[in-house]
Amino acid sequence: EKHRLLCFRRLAACLYQLANRYKESVDIFKADEMWSDAMEAVSGSQNKELAEDLLRFFVEEKDLPECFGTILFTCYDLIGPGALIDHASSCCTHDKFKDIVAEATGSEVVDCAINFYLRVHPAHLSDLLIGLSRKIDHSRVVKSIHDANSLSLIAKYLRSVLPERIVNETLNKLYP
């Protein structure tokens, strides 16, 4: 693995994969900046911790936001929603983040995005919710935001989905 020729280091990394030693394989690929090979090794490992570590490496250590989308495509089922949300926000603008969350399947990712925006980007929460309005359970969202005592942050969103009975009740509480 410390051979001076890249092809031999790559061979060593592949042998590690055959021996189910994926971390060592990924470490070699990272050291040689062979990003796609590292992602393929993580995907083959089916190891969630290794996938999130590689995602964190791309975003925090190497500042490679372009690898963010690629690892999501390659290892989406291995990356937990919390890691996805935390790192996506540092890699892209609010509009791009909103697009990524809108394309995600599963309410768990959407719930994490909402909680993340409530904590980190409260001024953009209403805009995020409007962008996700076709995918979310409005009653559940309003209840969770209400429980966080943050209804005023989502007034714009509430107005955009007025036909919902619970939203009308909430607006009446918000604007007596």
Side-chain angles (χ1 to χ4, degrees), residues 25-170:
S25 176
V26 171
D27 288 343
I28 291 172
F29 289 137
K30 284 175 14 182
D32 289 332
E33 297 185 358
M34 300 171 78
W35 310 134
S36 60
D37 289 324
M39 288 183 249
E40 286 178 28
V42 167
S43 179
S45 76
Q46 292 298 300
N47 183 319
K48 292 180 184 217
E49 184 179 323
L50 195 56
E52 290 182 7
D53 285 346
L54 187 59
L55 175 69
R56 193 174 307 105
F57 171 81
F58 286 145
V59 175
E60 294 175 5
E61 292 179 37
K62 282 294 187 179
D63 193 25
L64 294 168
E66 65 275 8
C67 290
F68 180 79
T70 308
I71 193 169
L72 285 184
F73 181 76
T74 308
C75 305
Y76 181 78
D77 56 330
L78 299 175
I79 297 173
L84 167 70
I85 300 304
D86 288 343
H87 295 298
S89 66
S90 64
C91 289
C92 46
T93 64
H94 164 67
D95 289 330
K96 183 67 177 165
F97 180 83
K98 194 169 56 170
D99 292 343
I100 290 170
V101 174
E103 289 180 24
T105 56
S107 63
E108 194 175 314
V109 171
V110 173
D111 290 346
C112 273
I114 292 169
N115 289 329
F116 174 79
Y117 262 61
L118 188 58
R119 277 189 346 261
V120 180
H121 298 294
H124 294 294
L125 181 60
S126 225
D127 188 44
L128 176 71
L129 292 172
I130 290 168
L132 299 174
S133 63
R134 294 177 187 213
K135 296 183 78 164
I136 56 179
D137 176 352
H138 301 294
S139 302
R140 199 166 59 112
V141 167
V142 170
K143 183 179 178 344
S144 74
I145 301 297
H146 180 268
D147 291 347
N149 293 321
S150 300
L151 282 177
S152 60
L153 295 174
I154 62 168
K156 183 177 165 189
Y157 156 73
L158 292 172
R159 282 189 223 101
S160 76
V161 291
L162 261 175
E164 299 280 337
R165 182 185 59 76
I166 190 153
V167 174
N168 284 332
E169 292 171 5
T170 304

